Amino acid sequence: MKNILFVCTGNSARSIIAESIINNEFKDKFKAYSAGSNPSGKINEDIKEFLEKNKNYDLSEYRSKNFEIYLSSEIKIDQVVTVCNNANNEVCPIWPEKNQIIHWDIDDPVSKLKNANNDEKQIIIRSTFNNISTKIKNWLNEK
């Protein structure tokens, strides 16, 4: 069983989505965790509702947290995947072991969700979910 850490800035959407996909769809081979370089302190409510209602994922144990807890953790992280968007000048976290890091450039849906109506929110979230899901499947096929 390999441990994967998904890291983004706020740990409220992208990394939570990635963590939940791995822990629900690929739990026979992987255990996923998520964290942020500047965590928001909570999971985005629209993202949480989508994952729980549309995907039937249990997020009761999920929370927004700083990635530094994994630097001193007893959990051995085998792979770190950053999911921030460099085009938006987000600061992607630095992990001590460079060979463990993969970077996926994924737009932050949270800023788009703020002014969106319910239909637009579903499109934004589904698009982000599908993008991350595709990246995970492609990455796993390369392994």
Side-chain angles (χ1 to χ4, degrees):
M1 179 85 53
K2 294 204 180 253
N3 293 317
I4 305 170
L5 175 61
F6 291 96
V7 182
C8 66
T9 308
N11 189 217
S12 67
R14 294 164 292 182
S15 53
I16 296 289
I17 292 170
E19 177 185 16
S20 66
I21 290 171
I22 290 289
N23 288 338
N24 284 276
E25 309 297 330
F26 303 99
K27 60 185 170 191
D28 56 326
K29 295 181 182 172
F30 301 98
K31 171 67 177 152
Y33 303 90
S34 70
S37 57
N38 187 20
S40 67
K42 66 183 187 106
I43 298 171
N44 176 279
E45 286 300 321
D46 295 314
I47 298 293
K48 185 175 182 180
E49 182 178 324
F50 174 85
L51 294 172
E52 290 178 335
K53 291 184 178 173
N54 294 55
K55 297 299 176 181
N56 203 27
Y57 291 171
D58 178 9
L59 271 62
S60 62
E61 300 294 319
Y62 287 43
R63 62 184 179 86
S64 176
K65 58 210 161 295
N66 194 293
F67 80 97
E68 290 181 1
I69 66 170
Y70 292 101
L71 294 174
S72 59
S73 172
E74 292 182 10
I75 299 169
K76 179 188 177 288
I77 300 296
D78 298 294
Q79 186 74 62
V80 176
V81 181
T82 58
V83 293
C84 26
N85 181 1
N86 287 336
N88 273 345
N89 297 321
E90 285 184 86
V91 178
C92 287
I94 304 299
W95 193 255
E97 307 270 341
K98 297 267 188 249
N99 64 336
Q100 289 181 299
I101 300 175
I102 295 172
H103 176 72
W104 295 339
D105 194 18
I106 299 172
D107 289 336
D108 184 7
V110 173
S111 58
K112 297 176 186 176
L113 291 171
K114 288 179 183 169
N115 297 317
N117 65 38
N118 283 338
D119 290 340
E120 292 168 334
K121 285 180 179 182
Q122 289 305 303
I123 292 168
I124 293 165
I125 295 168
R126 193 170 301 281
S127 174
T128 302
F129 180 91
N130 290 341
N131 184 9
I132 294 170
S133 182
T134 298
K135 287 185 179 296
I136 287 172
K137 288 174 186 167
N138 290 342
W139 175 66
L140 292 177
N141 285 335
E142 292 172 3
K143 293 196 115 356

